[in-house]
Amino acid sequence: MSLFEVINQILGLIQKIPLKLFDFLIFVNFLVFVFEEISSGLYSSFTFLFSSACAFFAGLIFYSGFAAVLVSIFPVGKNVADSASFLIIGILVFAVNYFLLRPIRRKSLDESFGNVDFDVKVIKLVGGVFFSSMSFFFLLLFITLILLTFPTSKSIKDQVTGSISGKFLSLRAQTIELNMKKILSTSSLDTMNFATLEPTNEELIKLDFTVDDYTVDKDSEDQMFEKINDERKREGLPILSRSSLLTDVARDKAEDMIIRKYFGHNDPSGYTPFDRMESANVVYGIAAENLAMSPDVAIAMNGLMESVGHRKNILSKSFYKVGIGVIDVEEYGKVFVQEFTD
């Protein structure tokens, strides 16, 4: 096989990878960022990594409290307040750390690749690549969360959630935040790009946005149905069958929450999920409902599986049918409803 044929085969394989503009932008910026950081010196790369990591984790820990203050002062919704709080805290922490670490960063001025042994050059090169790569990772986590949380256009969110790198980053950020909540003993299941209520929680949350246009997202419903059964297969459980009646109930519930601007298992009139099922002539002995708001199916399912109550419903041996409703509310993400019966 000639070199030309090998190159053509490699290019053909690359073309089959579902890359999006977001992936290409990340790749190009990664190369530029790493080169610049290596050129600035090992100590400088380390201080940038330390500052960016502190900014990311401080943002995750304190954004919800600061967001509550912003909501009480300014007429902004939760999504905007969360994004703004995360951004402000992150920038402030990064700036303070970067300023305090100036003495360490100055050592990079004395570094010279030309006047040191080969072994030292290799150590500096490898260390610089590692530190700069990790810095870029935290910066991407930060940017991805902002793009998904802030009410940006649907095309931007689709670029992020539909890209390979965007999916990886959004899920890593969500997992990190959920683990931090567990470490800090925080009972909230919400993250920056995911919101839910425990199946037994009767709390009613007011939605702070109004939309004139929304659509039923059948593709997301199909994806979520497959993911639910994938989770059951991993546990050796029988797969669920899809019920058209339950699907209608789930879609109606999602639409009702958007129209009446609430988020909860019971509606403002006290109408329960079971009341809805009975009104739709659903026959059941046992039933349950899962709710979520998220920009993407993968993020929604990851969050639900991290919750004890929702995971229990998804993996219950008592359920044999499921209906899934997903309403796409454009820049505000998607509303997910799962209805289970025996």
Side-chain angles (χ1 to χ4, degrees):
M1 184 179 293
S2 66
L3 178 61
F4 181 74
E5 289 174 331
V6 172
I7 293 175
N8 273 339
Q9 284 194 355
I10 293 174
L11 291 175
L13 290 173
I14 293 174
Q15 289 175 352
K16 292 180 180 179
I17 301 174
L19 297 176
K20 289 204 169 189
L21 178 61
F22 189 72
D23 296 305
F24 288 108
L25 288 174
I26 284 179
F27 179 71
V28 172
N29 281 281
F30 171 74
L31 295 179
V32 174
F33 182 85
V34 170
F35 177 78
E36 289 293 329
E37 283 298 297
I38 291 175
S39 301
S40 66
L42 187 63
Y43 295 106
S44 179
S45 298
F46 171 76
T47 58
F48 197 101
L49 169 59
F50 183 81
S51 300
S52 57
C54 287
F56 176 74
F57 286 111
L60 285 185
I61 293 172
F62 299 111
Y63 81 86
S64 58
F66 189 37
V69 174
L70 291 182
V71 170
S72 65
I73 298 175
F74 303 102
V76 296
K78 183 179 181 299
N79 283 14
V80 174
D82 285 348
S83 299
S85 299
F86 184 64
L87 182 62
I88 292 169
I89 292 170
I91 290 175
L92 288 176
V93 172
F94 181 88
V96 170
N97 273 286
Y98 207 64
F99 175 79
L100 294 177
L101 293 174
R102 281 188 306 170
I104 297 177
R105 205 162 56 253
R106 285 200 187 101
K107 292 186 178 182
S108 291
L109 298 175
D110 301 326
E111 290 182 320
S112 172
F113 279 92
N115 301 317
V116 295
D117 296 333
F118 177 76
D119 291 344
V120 176
K121 288 182 181 179
V122 172
I123 292 173
K124 288 185 176 181
L125 180 62
V126 173
V129 170
F130 174 76
F131 290 147
S132 57
S133 297
M134 290 303 297
S135 297
F136 192 71
F137 174 68
F138 282 113
L139 286 174
L140 284 180
L141 288 177
F142 196 92
I143 293 170
T144 301
L145 281 178
I146 293 294
L147 290 175
L148 291 179
T149 307
F150 195 81
T152 51
S153 69
K154 186 176 184 299
S155 59
I156 293 177
K157 290 186 185 295
D158 288 344
Q159 270 292 330
V160 178
T161 58
S163 65
I164 294 175
S165 51
K167 288 178 181 178
F168 173 80
L169 291 166
S170 58
L171 289 175
R172 295 292 79 73
Q174 183 187 36
T175 300
I176 290 171
E177 187 174 356
L178 286 170
N179 288 331
M180 285 180 60
K181 287 179 179 291
K182 292 176 183 178
I183 293 172
L184 297 173
S185 300
T186 303
S187 58
S188 173
L189 297 170
D190 293 356
T191 64
M192 277 196 69
N193 53 18
F194 172 78
T196 190
L197 286 171
E198 279 284 5
T200 56
N201 191 333
E202 296 185 359
E203 182 182 358
L204 196 67
I205 298 173
K206 183 181 179 181
L207 296 182
D208 49 29
F209 59 82
T210 301
V211 293
D212 298 321
D213 189 25
Y214 55 86
T215 56
V216 174
D217 190 342
K218 294 183 180 179
D219 288 339
S220 291
E221 291 176 353
D222 294 339
Q223 292 174 33
M224 180 163 274
F225 176 68
E226 291 179 4
K227 287 184 177 295
I228 288 174
N229 278 329
D230 285 343
E231 295 291 347
R232 292 179 67 87
K233 288 175 186 176
R234 290 192 191 96
E235 299 297 323
L237 297 169
I239 63 173
L240 301 178
S241 62
R242 209 164 180 177
S243 164
S244 59
L245 281 178
L246 288 177
T247 297
D248 289 340
V249 172
R251 287 176 181 171
D252 289 344
K253 176 59 181 293
E255 186 176 12
D256 185 60
M257 288 193 292
I258 297 302
I259 294 173
R260 299 168 71 182
K261 300 177 64 174
Y262 74 94
F263 185 72
H265 291 288
N266 298 348
D267 70 17
S269 304
Y271 212 51
T272 70
F274 313 109
D275 293 329
R276 289 182 175 276
M277 291 181 191
E278 290 166 9
S279 295
N281 298 317
V282 176
V283 179
Y284 67 90
I286 184 172
E289 179 181 80
N290 285 349
L291 300 177
M293 290 186 67
S294 174
D296 176 62
V297 174
I299 299 172
M301 277 299 295
N302 187 61
L304 291 172
M305 290 302 293
E306 288 289 335
S307 161
V308 176
H310 298 101
R311 180 186 178 89
K312 183 179 178 181
N313 285 341
I314 292 170
L315 300 180
S316 174
K317 297 178 181 179
S318 301
F319 297 139
Y320 299 96
K321 297 177 183 178
V322 66
I324 300 164
V326 181
I327 298 293
D328 190 338
V329 284
E330 302 292 333
E331 68 268 27
Y332 296 102
K334 300 175 182 180
V335 177
F336 298 86
V337 179
Q338 300 172 345
E339 306 288 0
F340 301 91
T341 63
D342 54 2

